[in-house]
Amino acid sequence: EGEVWLADAVEKQSGVFEPIDEKAIVEYVTQVGNNLAAYSVAPKKRYRFIVTDEWRSDAMTGGRGRIYITQGMLLRLESEDELAALLAHEIAHDAFSHAAKTVTRQLFWLTGTRKVKTPAALEAALLKLFSEYEKKPLANITETVLGFSRFDELEADRAAFYNTYKAGYNPQ
């Protein structure tokens, strides 16, 4: 339940997750993503693949099966295999709940928040976290640059390699 609240709050507060209207592109990304998800560590989880209107190159998950990829990232990819590898990496982050673990850690260390009991309380805690980042630029830089822990990145990379291969794509 908390992961749902987190995904909703992140999406609401960030303002950068506007999906595009290009049905063919979204269907293509979704088809590749669903093929990969069937081989993930959470194959029964329902994933949603959202192509955003951002032009910077990025992909991420906020949890709850929501995988975001920007138009800018799609333009940089050179093959379906590259798209598959990227989506498999984000699916792994989502399947292992890395976003929820990371935000929980950030809330505890920067704001002292130990538990939230409602979606509104989570939104308030996130606003407090953003305020702390403004007061502590070093913490902001560290989280921006490092994001997920190195272990989380390695775990997602390993899972993505195997999922990409099992789904029939070239993991190279």
Side-chain angles (χ1 to χ4, degrees):
E1 187 175 55
E3 191 175 346
V4 172
W5 298 347
L6 175 63
D8 291 344
V10 166
E11 192 171 273
K12 180 179 176 182
Q13 290 185 12
S14 70
V16 297
F17 298 114
E18 287 299 317
I20 64 169
D21 290 330
E22 301 290 331
K23 186 177 178 182
I25 294 171
V26 174
E27 286 177 356
Y28 174 69
V29 170
T30 299
Q31 182 179 10
V32 172
N34 285 336
N35 185 31
L36 291 158
Y39 297 95
S40 76
V41 297
K44 295 184 186 221
K45 188 170 188 176
R46 184 175 174 268
Y47 292 92
R48 199 168 118 220
F49 301 92
I50 302 153
V51 180
T52 71
D53 63 1
E54 287 286 316
W55 290 105
R56 68 178 173 22
S57 298
D58 205 0
M60 66 162 284
T61 181
R64 195 183 178 200
R66 297 176 196 171
I67 309 296
Y68 302 93
I69 183 169
T70 65
Q71 287 186 93
M73 180 59 83
L74 288 177
L75 289 173
R76 293 190 66 141
L77 299 174
E78 296 182 13
S79 69
E80 188 171 302
D81 291 327
E82 286 185 6
L83 173 62
L86 181 107
L87 293 176
H89 179 87
E90 297 306 327
I91 288 168
H93 275 309
D94 194 90
F96 293 125
S97 299
H98 289 163
K101 291 174 188 174
T102 298
V103 172
T104 299
R105 182 193 72 219
Q106 294 168 344
L107 286 171
F108 176 76
W109 288 110
L110 287 172
T111 69
T113 303
R114 292 181 182 269
K115 191 171 187 177
V116 292
K117 296 180 180 183
T118 66
L122 178 61
E123 285 188 38
L126 282 177
L127 289 174
K128 187 176 177 184
L129 177 64
F130 297 152
S131 174
E132 287 301 311
Y133 278 138
E134 288 178 14
K135 295 179 203 171
K136 300 173 182 151
L138 184 58
N140 190 14
I141 291 168
T142 302
E143 289 299 332
T144 301
V145 172
L146 297 178
F148 292 138
S149 74
R150 289 183 180 167
F151 174 80
D152 290 349
E153 289 298 338
L154 182 59
E155 186 176 45
D157 285 343
R158 285 181 177 153
F161 178 86
Y162 290 112
N163 293 349
T164 303
Y165 175 76
K166 288 189 276 184
Y169 297 99
N170 180 351
Q172 295 294 336

